[in-house]
Amino acid sequence: MQDVSEETQATFFALRMPNSHLLLTNAFDATNASDVARDLRNIHMVLKGMTDPELHLTNHLIGYVQQGIYQVLKICNGFSTSQKRLDFVVEPWCHCLEFLLQLPDAYTAFVNSWPAARMLLDTLVRLVDGIPVANSIKDRMPDEARLAALRCLILLLPLDRYVPGIQDVDEQERPQQDWEKVVHFKDDRRIRTTLDEKTAGHLLEPGNQSVVGRLLVVFMETAADATLVSLRITALEGFMKLIRVLPTPDVLSTWLPGIMSGLTKVILARGLKDNHAVLTRTLDIWTYCVIYVLGTSSSSLATNEPVCSSSVTPTTGDLFMKMYKEKQSSGTESEKTTGRSAAGNYGTTSWFKAIIGALKKLFREIAFVRNHSHWKVRLGFGQLSFRILRECQGPIAKYGDDHSNGVAGFLLETLIGCSRDEYEEVYVLSNYYLGQLTEEFKTLGLSNIAKEIMREKLLALPRVLHGPDESRKQEAIKLALGLAVFLGPEMERMINHQNLWSYVQSWVNILTIEQLDQYNVDGRGGILGIGAKDSAVATDATQTSEEERWNMWVKQDQSSSVRKFGFPRKIMLHLREQVTSSSFLEFLRQVGSTTEISTWSEEVVSRLQQDTRAVRENQGWFDSRSVSAVVLMNQLLLGASSIGLTSLADSQQFSTTSSKQGQFRKKGRSSSKKKHQRHVRKVARGILEEYLAMLMESSILAQDAKNRHDDASSKSATHRESEDPSRKSTLAQFLAIEEGEGFDFDAQENKIYDFNTDVMLKCVLLEGIASIAVILGGTEFEMELFRVLYVLLERLGDQDSALVRDTAQATLEHVAFICQYQTIGDLIQANYDYVIQQVSQRIAFLSANPKTPQVLWSLIHVVGPPAVSMLEDSVTEIFEALDHWKSQDDEVAEGLLKALSEITKVMAIAATEMQSKESKPKRDSGVQMHAEIEISQPDAASMEVAEFAKGYRLLTQGIDLSEEDDQFKADISNMTPEQIKEYFLQREKEIKEQEERRLGTQAQEFDGENEASLADDDDNVSFGDLRAQMPKPIKESKPEPPTKHQALCLRILDKAGYFLTASSPRMRVLALEIIQSSIVVLKDRPQELNPAIFEMWPSIVRRILRRSEMEVFYVSLRAIEIVTLLAENCSDFLSRHLLNDVWPFILRALRTWTKAPPQAIKNYATRTLGNTTVYQNGKAIDSKAGDNIQHRTAPPRQRRQATKVLTREHRLQLTTLESVSKIVRKIRIPVQELWQMLLLARDMVRDQYWTLHWDVRMAAMDAIKSMALAGHGDSVWLVVGETVEELNALCERQQARDKDVEDEVETMDIFANVLEFIEDSNL
């Protein structure tokens, strides 16, 4: 006992009692089952409590505990008794056995005798199977007990040869390959003993093949049928440990058919709903088995001789399959197929063909699991495909089927599908795998297989994309895209002149666009941002400098909502999901990069030319096929220019080579790439011409559509009787169809113009121009600006569709970026001569060019104030055209007036900016101090005050305070700001009085002296002297001439007066906007502005608050805003016309808004007075009628936070009240006229009928405050004070009746705020 450690002795004493109870137990029944379980748990607890069991758990203690474990096994008859099963004994018994088997010495004790080890194996297999009672399949043990037995069974199996033993591993052993590195059982032994090899030898003996077969069956059955996920994963780990014991591939090959069938059953047990950990572990085992058998057998393919083990007969596989079939009640097709695969010898041609044929069928059965929702499962399929293709290339190429349905086709299709996965962890590694396959392994013939798969997918793609299943569409597109990336230049052999038409026709139909979504753009990055968003692996290792500069440019203005870089998303008829449509467009770009672009351009452009020719000849309109053809051409062009592509990650991205051959290949590739890009740019220029022609045709298409349709209708009506019957009526007569039987004889046969199609066509054409600009680059595209800018500006000013305007703006952003300009304004300003020249040529022929005013508006809107100087000559042309078209209220006159309105707006902006710059106070440096002196803010303020006081006294009184500096600083520091203010005001007043007294005394003395001198010399003064003594007249200074902007604004203002009486409300609004901007520009020149406003004043007054029709709402709104501007800038003019012309209309509008409907009065009476009678206009209103009506039950704070519904009336109310606030502050209004406005504003703030918005009430309160600031504080105080008293009394009455007074209290607080404002402002 002296050589035994203290912990060993303590462990023995703790184990002695529970283990003795087990050894003394001779029978097992229901009476002592709980005692046996308790003793086992105590033993396990003692063993787990040891700090270092490998050191302190000696062989004697191991044998002592082993006797107790065998005793339990003996009294329980190997847990196969026919009595009631007591499962709670199995779990603690397995826990004790598991703890011991993790120790090398204990493992040696248990497996030293093979009969005992086999008996223990049989017992554990029976427990894992969960059926200790015979003929009771449904009566299984709980999964927790089975898991404990399974862990013991795995620990009892021998370790493989890669686990380090007690001594170092032999250096001559083969290193472990990547596909062999499968995760082991995590709680397994870390050291291999000599008995591991001995136990493995016993398992491989012919007499023990049934034991191995039974173990494999139990592992696979548990992995397939168990409910507990951890039990299934542990079963797969045990399965992997068992097959790794098999030393050579020929031994494993005998079990391969059954193993494949069992693994297939595990995968198909739950399918797509299975746990990802189970599926990934199953795929790892499958990969190991296939590669271990097929991969290492490639060396014997030349001899075609069987390679058999001397200790294993070829019939063991049949024996296992026989056991497996007896175990199953019904077998699947995969089991029946693989049962015959082991008929031949290992390594023969028949054997290889049978195995590969069986694998093909098994792969097809599990193909649907490739779409599992978890990314690890999809990655597992990708790794399985790559490893089998890499390691088993010889057998697959020689014995496999060289078509898309073979093993190689399935594996390649799986790997390509993984390369297009949405998870980065999957697609990055899969792309790398594909790159390795294309570089290293040419013997597989994968390109031919990929071509065959691609042909099948391209033929089936239109049918799939026209179907309803979006997930199937995504899978088909992603697979086609991956195949296109994998094939690369080989795609040219598949798509050529012979079969091009069929692809174009089907893809144009697929690209049918239903509408464009302007609120969801395809990425804010635009054309150059496609690659960063869609590409799985970038075309180059890093982004190009152009793309980096674009990303930085977009990111700088990302927070701005004015600049737009992205194009509207295309909602397609057959590709509803955004992911589906984006993937298909990416597929088209990939096709364009791998095929000849001129082939596509000839076919697509010919279609577009036919459509354009039909439009020119008045034979039809642009339809959805034209739109789809443009979209197709845009994507092909981008792909040909290598924009937005994906590529395979080859080994060059991970390792660099410096060989001369590699450098030569790179130079050859770069030169061929340059030639290809030159060819693409040449094709792009040709397509640009066609796009511009289509845009010019579509610009006049919308205008002529209605007229042409009316003409066609009238012609068909007038000539129906005189001419021969049409084909439609002839067919109806031939079929004996009479009118009224569902056949319309008067239906138009001509194609009807679709405005939505026209908008979509313009948008995709503009997007195509942006793509061409990116392809050509700044140097080449600048040569096309003289043709492109006019068209883009015309679309930017489109009056029919905001979608077209946004798309044109995004196109101009791309053009400005490509041409190295910061903004669109800089681009237009630098090339404005191109636009002005075309405008001057077309403005004289506006009947043929009605969209020219849109170009003028766009140019002014984009460039801003600098555009005014550009259009000095064009303004005269605009005036002449406006004089010609002003009598016609059509699109041309409106466009010209809109251009003039935009000119005045930018001039107003420039005048406002200039005024803000001039009004900024100049910074005075003050007293210069030394750089090293640092003072705090309060000290600095006091020093400035002291310096000012000293300088002020020195100038006014001649007093120097240098001697009294300290005393003065002390006095200043003790004074408050109010005292300092009063002090300086008083001093200033005293100085002024002293100056007046002094000047008055001097004037009196001077007058007295002059009178005396004049009295003395009166007779001697001549006429010339008297004239010289007379005061000289003051010369009046000439007024400064108006600036160019002001002179131009006066001319435009003179033209705008005519359109104030136009019949079109939009024309009147534009005229009022011109007046509004002109007031800002000409406010410094009242001598010109006031006469002009006086001439137009009657027309302006007639537009104020005239709301008889809904369409004149904006006219009234603009008129009120003009009155507000006149109050701010021309108060002298408005003061003479306000009370008689404007004020009555404002009062009438306020009375209308404060007048409540009868129902609101009923609700108010019910809420405030209870069941009483209310009189209105001499009629009694019963308040009981409103008892069941709750007009508003939400508290006021919830009403403030409610969703704002900003109607037109709400906006007019706010604008009117804001105008009143500014008018009363700027113009002096008598109290008699102001009193009615004050009462109405009070009623709007009070809002006792709950009809006004909260913002309107606050605007009315601001109007009341403005009246107080204007000098009417007493009147405001009187009205508001009475209102507060009235509300206070109302609250008391409401509280007495237990009613809610929260709204009244809220209103009272608003008025109290007004009173407090008056008190604080001393009004």
Side-chain angles (χ1 to χ4, degrees):
M1 297 293 291
Q2 295 180 356
D3 297 336
V4 180
S5 63
E6 295 181 359
E7 185 174 355
T8 302
Q9 297 178 15
T11 304
F12 172 73
F13 290 129
L15 291 173
R16 184 170 57 180
M17 182 175 294
N19 200 59
S20 299
H21 290 168
L22 294 177
L23 294 175
L24 295 176
T25 303
N26 296 323
F28 179 79
D29 52 17
T31 58
N32 61 355
S34 59
D35 296 335
V36 173
R38 184 184 65 250
D39 292 336
L40 290 172
R41 285 193 294 269
N42 291 335
I43 292 174
H44 182 246
M45 188 179 301
V46 172
L47 293 175
K48 285 184 63 178
M50 299 182 67
T51 57
D52 191 358
E54 293 185 1
L55 180 62
H56 300 289
L57 193 62
T58 61
N59 292 331
H60 296 286
L61 279 179
I62 293 173
Y64 184 60
V65 178
Q66 185 182 8
Q67 292 179 4
I69 291 175
Y70 278 135
Q71 180 65 20
V72 174
L73 190 61
K74 178 180 178 181
I75 63 178
C76 293
N77 295 326
F79 298 106
S80 60
T81 178
S82 60
Q83 299 177 359
K84 182 179 179 180
R85 188 181 69 239
L86 301 176
D87 300 332
F88 57 88
V89 179
V90 175
E91 192 169 355
W93 182 81
C94 291
H95 287 325
C96 295
L97 181 61
E98 177 187 357
F99 184 85
L100 293 175
L101 290 177
Q102 291 178 352
L103 305 176
D105 294 339
Y107 177 80
T108 303
F110 277 99
V111 300
N112 192 18
S113 174
W114 172 247
R118 178 165 180 176
M119 182 269 294
L120 190 59
L121 278 173
D122 294 338
T123 302
L124 292 174
V125 168
R126 189 164 54 252
L127 293 177
V128 172
D129 198 18
I131 314 174
V133 181
N135 299 325
S136 180
I137 298 177
K138 296 183 180 180
D139 187 15
R140 289 181 179 272
M141 288 192 304
D143 285 348
E144 291 76 8
R146 298 175 62 191
L147 177 61
L150 180 61
R151 295 172 67 89
C152 295
L153 180 60
I154 295 174
L155 290 171
L156 195 60
L157 295 176
L159 295 175
D160 56 51
R161 58 189 179 278
Y162 295 110
V163 179
I166 300 177
Q167 299 178 355
D168 296 334
V169 183
D170 190 2
E171 297 180 356
Q172 297 181 356
E173 291 186 3
R174 180 177 58 86
Q176 193 174 8
Q177 302 294 330
D178 294 337
W179 53 271
E180 295 176 325
K181 296 178 181 178
V182 184
V183 179
H184 294 276
F185 184 54
K186 60 181 180 179
D187 295 329
D188 210 339
R189 289 177 290 118
R190 298 292 182 258
I191 300 176
R192 181 165 52 90
T193 64
T194 56
L195 288 178
D196 285 300
E197 297 180 0
K198 184 178 179 182
T199 306
H202 286 299
L203 287 174
L204 296 176
E205 293 177 357
N208 295 325
Q209 294 300 306
S210 60
V211 178
V212 177
R214 189 180 179 189
L215 286 172
L216 292 173
V217 170
V218 168
F219 282 140
M220 287 187 294
E221 284 290 325
T222 305
D225 300 337
T227 305
L228 192 64
V229 175
S230 58
L231 177 60
R232 301 176 64 198
I233 296 175
T234 307
L236 291 172
E237 292 177 352
F239 186 89
M240 188 64 207
K241 183 178 180 180
L242 178 60
I243 62 177
R244 287 173 70 93
V245 174
L246 305 178
T248 55
D250 57 336
V251 178
L252 181 61
S253 64
T254 58
W255 307 101
L256 187 62
I259 290 173
M260 294 295 101
S261 300
L263 294 177
T264 303
K265 181 183 178 183
V266 174
I267 295 176
L268 298 178
R270 294 170 178 82
L272 295 175
K273 298 182 180 180
D274 204 346
N275 184 268
H276 69 278
V278 176
L279 292 177
T280 52
R281 194 61 54 87
T282 306
L283 293 175
D284 290 340
I285 297 173
W286 200 336
T287 305
Y288 174 84
C289 295
V290 173
I291 296 176
Y292 190 57
V293 174
L294 294 180
T296 56
S297 62
S298 58
S299 60
S300 61
L301 293 177
T303 59
N304 289 332
E305 295 180 356
V307 181
C308 301
S309 175
S310 59
S311 59
V312 181
T313 61
T315 58
T316 52
D318 294 334
L319 175 63
F320 171 68
M321 290 306 304
K322 181 179 180 180
M323 295 172 54
Y324 188 74
K325 289 180 180 179
E326 291 177 355
K327 188 71 178 177
Q328 300 293 327
S329 59
S330 61
T332 61
E333 181 183 354
S334 61
E335 296 169 358
K336 298 176 182 178
T337 303
T338 56
R340 300 185 297 270
S341 61
N345 294 326
Y346 170 72
T348 60
T349 302
S350 60
W351 183 87
F352 275 111
K353 289 183 178 180
I355 290 295
I356 292 176
L359 286 176
K360 181 178 69 173
K361 295 182 179 180
L362 294 177
F363 282 148
R364 291 301 171 187
E365 289 186 13
I366 65 173
F368 72 97
V369 189
R370 294 179 296 182
N371 300 323
H372 197 274
S373 59
H374 202 278
W375 65 271
K376 289 187 177 180
V377 178
R378 301 194 296 271
L379 179 61
F381 271 100
Q383 292 175 342
L384 178 143
S385 303
F386 170 69
R387 289 171 180 174
I388 293 179
L389 286 174
R390 183 183 64 177
E391 303 295 338
C392 307
Q393 53 175 322
I396 292 177
K398 187 171 183 178
Y399 300 105
D401 296 332
D402 191 12
H403 55 76
S404 60
N405 295 326
V407 175
F410 172 83
L411 297 176
L412 181 61
E413 182 179 337
T414 302
L415 187 57
I416 289 175
C418 293
S419 67
R420 305 308 308 159
D421 197 87
E422 58 184 358
Y423 275 79
E424 183 179 1
E425 293 83 354
V426 180
Y427 68 70
V428 170
L429 195 58
S430 300
N431 273 280
Y432 174 68
Y433 289 158
L434 284 174
Q436 281 193 337
L437 290 177
T438 55
E439 286 182 357
E440 299 177 7
F441 307 110
K442 305 296 183 181
T443 59
L444 290 175
L446 294 180
S447 60
N448 296 329
I449 299 175
K451 288 179 185 178
E452 187 174 351
I453 300 175
M454 190 65 175
R455 290 189 186 95
E456 296 178 0
K457 298 304 178 183
L458 288 178
L459 291 176
L461 190 61
R463 176 176 50 82
V464 174
L465 296 182
H466 280 84
D469 192 354
E470 290 292 329
S471 60
R472 189 181 177 188
K473 294 178 185 178
Q474 294 180 15
E475 295 173 7
I477 294 173
K478 289 181 179 179
L479 180 58
L481 175 59
L483 287 169
V485 175
F486 180 74
L487 289 174
E490 298 291 332
M491 287 288 294
E492 292 187 7
R493 302 181 181 179
M494 302 181 59
I495 300 178
N496 46 41
H497 286 281
Q498 298 178 356
N499 56 9
L500 181 65
W501 184 86
S502 60
Y503 292 131
V504 171
Q505 185 67 27
S506 60
W507 291 351
V508 164
N509 294 332
I510 293 170
L511 289 172
T512 302
I513 301 177
E514 188 175 13
Q515 62 178 348
L516 297 177
D517 188 1
Q518 61 179 342
Y519 302 104
N520 185 9
V521 297
D522 288 336
R524 189 173 167 81
I527 299 296
L528 289 174
I530 293 177
K533 180 174 68 72
D534 294 336
S535 297
V537 178
T539 304
D540 299 322
T542 57
Q543 288 184 338
T544 61
S545 59
E546 197 77 2
E547 291 178 351
E548 292 180 358
R549 191 169 66 88
W550 170 263
N551 294 332
M552 293 297 296
W553 200 47
V554 173
K555 190 179 297 183
Q556 291 175 359
D557 298 284
Q558 199 165 12
S559 59
S560 175
S561 60
V562 179
R563 304 185 67 175
K564 296 177 176 62
F565 303 98
F567 296 95
R569 186 175 75 87
K570 306 169 186 64
I571 301 178
M572 298 183 182
L573 182 64
H574 304 292
L575 306 177
R576 290 287 181 178
E577 295 290 337
Q578 184 174 359
V579 178
T580 310
S581 59
S582 300
S583 300
F584 187 71
L585 295 179
E586 187 178 357
F587 166 71
L588 294 179
R589 292 195 296 271
Q590 199 69 41
V591 171
S593 66
T594 55
T595 56
E596 182 61 35
I597 188 62
S598 59
T599 306
W600 292 98
S601 63
E602 291 174 2
E603 178 67 25
V604 178
V605 170
S606 63
R607 288 171 171 264
L608 298 178
Q609 289 176 350
Q610 292 176 4
D611 297 338
T612 306
R613 193 179 303 110
V615 172
R616 289 174 182 171
E617 297 175 358
N618 299 336
Q619 295 179 359
W621 318 102
F622 290 116
D623 53 8
S624 59
R625 291 177 299 178
S626 304
V627 180
S628 302
V630 175
V631 174
L632 176 62
M633 195 68 251
N634 291 344
Q635 300 303 319
L636 293 173
L637 273 177
L638 290 175
S641 187
S642 301
I643 297 176
L645 299 180
T646 59
S647 64
L648 300 179
D650 52 11
S651 58
Q652 293 180 358
Q653 294 183 359
F654 300 92
S655 63
T656 58
T657 58
S658 59
S659 62
K660 295 183 179 180
Q661 184 178 4
Q663 294 178 1
F664 178 76
R665 288 179 180 177
K666 289 181 180 179
K667 291 180 180 179
R669 290 176 183 176
S670 63
S671 61
S672 61
K673 185 177 181 181
K674 290 180 180 178
K675 293 180 181 178
H676 174 71
Q677 292 300 325
R678 284 196 297 269
H679 178 65
V680 172
R681 289 194 292 270
K682 181 179 178 181
V683 173
R685 281 192 292 270
I687 296 174
L688 177 62
E689 295 180 1
E690 188 62 32
Y691 282 2
L692 293 176
M694 293 184 68
L695 277 173
M696 296 301 295
E697 293 296 332
S698 63
S699 63
I700 59 176
L701 183 62
Q703 182 181 2
D704 298 341
K706 186 176 182 302
N707 298 331
R708 289 168 57 183
H709 181 65
D710 294 340
D711 294 342
S713 300
S714 60
K715 288 180 180 180
S716 61
T718 55
H719 297 287
R720 185 178 299 113
E721 298 179 358
S722 59
E723 294 183 353
D724 294 335
S726 63
R727 289 178 297 174
K728 188 175 182 181
S729 59
T730 303
L731 180 62
Q733 294 176 4
F734 178 76
L735 297 176
I737 300 177
E738 298 180 358
E739 187 172 1
E741 297 182 1
F743 191 85
D744 189 6
F745 288 91
D746 298 333
Q748 294 294 323
E749 297 181 5
N750 296 330
K751 190 183 299 183
I752 300 176
Y753 170 76
D754 188 2
F755 177 76
N756 187 31
T757 303
D758 182 62
V759 171
M760 290 188 298
L761 178 63
K762 294 175 183 177
C763 291
V764 297
L765 286 172
L766 291 171
E767 185 177 354
I769 293 175
S771 304
I772 294 172
V774 174
I775 293 171
L776 294 180
T779 305
E780 295 189 22
F781 194 77
E782 283 184 351
M783 301 173 63
E784 308 292 337
L785 287 179
F786 73 97
R787 296 187 302 168
V788 174
L789 279 184
Y790 183 89
V791 178
L792 295 182
L793 288 176
E794 182 179 334
R795 296 296 141 221
L796 185 61
D798 192 282
Q799 300 180 8
D800 300 326
S801 175
L803 194 60
V804 176
R805 292 195 296 269
D806 294 343
T807 309
Q809 184 176 356
T811 304
L812 283 170
E813 290 285 355
H814 283 77
V815 174
F817 171 80
I818 292 300
C819 297
Q820 305 293 327
Y821 293 101
Q822 291 296 327
T823 60
I824 302 176
D826 297 339
L827 170 68
I828 304 300
Q829 191 173 357
N831 303 277
Y832 76 95
D833 51 342
Y834 298 152
V835 182
I836 296 299
Q837 181 183 2
Q838 297 188 47
V839 168
S840 301
Q841 293 174 355
R842 303 185 187 195
I843 198 170
F845 307 97
L846 289 177
S847 58
N849 303 281
K851 303 294 184 180
T852 302
Q854 297 180 7
V855 181
L856 288 170
W857 179 89
S858 302
L859 187 146
I860 302 165
H861 179 74
V862 170
V863 177
V868 179
S869 60
M870 302 177 189
L871 298 174
E872 291 181 355
D873 299 333
S874 300
V875 169
T876 304
E877 298 176 353
I878 296 175
F879 287 159
E880 295 175 357
L882 191 60
D883 292 337
H884 177 74
W885 291 88
K886 65 181 181 181
S887 59
Q888 304 178 17
D889 296 335
D890 58 358
E891 182 183 1
V892 176
E894 183 181 343
L896 293 171
L897 192 63
K898 187 176 180 181
L900 294 178
S901 175
E902 193 66 24
I903 292 176
T904 56
K905 284 182 181 179
V906 298
M907 287 192 297
I909 293 172
T912 305
E913 293 177 354
M914 183 63 68
Q915 184 181 3
S916 61
K917 291 180 181 179
E918 294 176 354
S919 62
K920 287 183 179 179
K922 295 182 179 180
R923 182 177 179 181
D924 190 3
S925 59
V927 180
Q928 294 183 357
M929 303 183 63
H930 198 272
E932 298 178 356
I933 299 177
E934 296 182 359
I935 57 175
S936 60
Q937 189 67 22
D939 295 338
S942 61
M943 292 179 64
E944 290 177 1
V945 172
E947 292 291 339
F948 172 76
K950 289 166 61 176
Y952 183 77
R953 290 193 180 184
L954 182 62
L955 289 174
T956 56
Q957 302 178 3
I959 301 175
D960 189 5
L961 294 178
S962 58
E963 298 178 356
E964 303 175 2
D965 193 12
D966 298 335
Q967 181 64 29
F968 184 78
K969 286 184 179 180
D971 296 339
I972 291 296
S973 62
N974 296 327
M975 295 175 67
T976 62
E978 290 77 6
Q979 293 175 348
I980 294 174
K981 180 180 179 181
E982 293 178 0
Y983 170 77
F984 285 114
L985 292 176
Q986 183 66 27
R987 294 303 304 163
E988 185 179 0
K989 184 177 180 182
E990 292 177 358
I991 295 302
K992 286 184 178 181
E993 292 177 355
Q994 292 177 3
E995 290 179 354
E996 290 177 357
R997 287 195 298 268
R998 185 171 63 253
L999 292 173
T1001 304
Q1002 293 177 359
Q1004 292 177 1
E1005 295 176 355
F1006 179 76
D1007 293 340
E1009 294 177 357
N1010 288 339
E1011 289 177 359
S1013 61
L1014 289 174
D1016 296 339
D1017 301 334
D1018 191 15
D1019 298 333
N1020 300 325
V1021 175
S1022 64
F1023 178 76
D1025 295 337
L1026 291 174
R1027 185 175 182 180
Q1029 291 178 3
M1030 294 178 64
K1032 296 180 180 180
I1034 301 174
K1035 294 182 180 180
E1036 295 183 359
S1037 60
K1038 294 182 180 179
E1040 296 181 0
T1043 62
K1044 290 184 178 181
H1045 285 190
Q1046 292 174 345
L1048 179 60
C1049 188
L1050 285 172
R1051 296 173 61 190
I1052 296 175
L1053 185 61
D1054 181 59
K1055 295 290 183 182
Y1058 174 84
F1059 297 97
L1060 286 175
T1061 58
S1063 59
S1064 173
R1066 299 176 65 178
M1067 302 284 282
R1068 298 199 297 271
V1069 169
L1070 290 174
L1072 291 172
E1073 288 179 353
I1074 291 175
I1075 298 173
Q1076 188 176 356
S1077 302
S1078 300
I1079 293 173
V1080 179
V1081 178
L1082 299 172
K1083 63 182 178 180
D1084 297 334
R1085 302 191 64 83
Q1087 62 274 19
E1088 288 90 1
L1089 177 62
N1090 291 348
I1093 297 296
F1094 180 77
E1095 292 180 1
M1096 294 179 286
W1097 182 249
S1099 299
I1100 295 174
V1101 171
R1102 284 196 294 268
R1103 309 302 170 203
I1104 298 177
L1105 298 175
R1106 301 293 179 89
R1107 298 178 298 141
S1108 59
E1109 299 177 0
M1110 292 298 294
E1111 60 268 13
V1112 301
F1113 160 77
Y1114 290 102
V1115 179
S1116 299
L1117 193 66
R1118 292 289 181 233
I1120 295 173
E1121 291 176 353
I1122 288 176
V1123 173
T1124 305
L1125 275 176
L1126 289 174
E1128 293 178 344
N1129 302 292
C1130 304
S1131 57
D1132 54 345
F1133 172 84
L1134 187 62
S1135 60
R1136 296 192 298 267
H1137 303 84
L1138 175 66
L1139 297 179
N1140 296 329
D1141 298 337
V1142 180
W1143 200 253
F1145 295 103
I1146 297 178
L1147 291 175
R1148 186 171 60 185
L1150 294 182
R1151 290 192 189 99
T1152 304
W1153 294 329
T1154 54
K1155 185 179 179 181
Q1159 186 62 46
I1161 299 176
K1162 294 179 183 179
N1163 296 336
Y1164 172 74
T1166 304
R1167 178 167 52 90
T1168 57
L1169 303 177
N1171 298 330
T1172 58
T1173 302
V1174 180
Y1175 292 91
Q1176 182 186 13
N1177 298 329
K1179 297 181 180 179
I1181 299 176
D1182 188 7
S1183 63
K1184 294 182 180 181
D1187 290 342
N1188 298 327
I1189 301 175
Q1190 296 181 356
H1191 182 67
R1192 183 186 63 182
T1193 58
R1197 64 176 61 91
Q1198 293 184 8
R1199 186 182 69 171
R1200 290 198 302 267
Q1201 298 173 359
T1203 303
K1204 296 182 180 180
V1205 181
L1206 303 180
T1207 60
R1208 291 182 173 181
E1209 188 174 12
H1210 169 82
R1211 183 177 176 184
L1212 192 61
Q1213 290 170 355
L1214 285 179
T1215 306
T1216 305
L1217 290 172
E1218 291 174 359
S1219 179
V1220 169
S1221 300
K1222 294 179 181 180
I1223 288 174
V1224 298
R1225 285 200 303 267
K1226 298 293 182 179
I1227 299 176
R1228 184 66 180 176
I1229 302 175
V1231 179
Q1232 296 81 4
E1233 301 294 339
L1234 193 69
W1235 187 260
Q1236 296 181 3
M1237 183 67 68
L1238 177 60
L1239 295 178
L1240 292 173
R1242 178 204 61 182
D1243 295 340
M1244 295 184 74
V1245 173
R1246 188 170 179 180
D1247 189 24
Q1248 57 184 354
Y1249 301 119
W1250 293 343
T1251 57
L1252 298 177
H1253 197 273
W1254 174 263
D1255 295 341
V1256 178
R1257 296 177 63 190
M1258 293 299 99
M1261 183 190 70
D1262 294 337
I1264 294 175
K1265 289 182 179 180
S1266 299
M1267 296 176 193
L1269 289 173
H1272 303 283
D1274 296 337
S1275 301
V1276 174
W1277 180 274
L1278 178 62
V1279 172
V1280 174
E1282 291 179 355
T1283 306
V1284 171
E1285 293 178 359
E1286 182 182 351
L1287 289 172
N1288 192 10
L1290 180 61
C1291 290
E1292 293 178 357
R1293 292 195 301 269
Q1294 294 287 84
Q1295 290 176 354
R1297 290 193 292 267
D1298 295 333
K1299 291 192 175 183
D1300 185 21
V1301 295
E1302 190 172 358
D1303 187 79
E1304 286 74 13
V1305 172
E1306 179 189 54
T1307 308
M1308 190 166 53
D1309 292 339
I1310 295 174
F1311 285 113
N1313 185 17
V1314 177
L1315 295 176
E1316 184 179 356
F1317 170 76
I1318 295 175
E1319 290 180 354
D1320 295 341
S1321 302
N1322 296 325
L1323 301 176

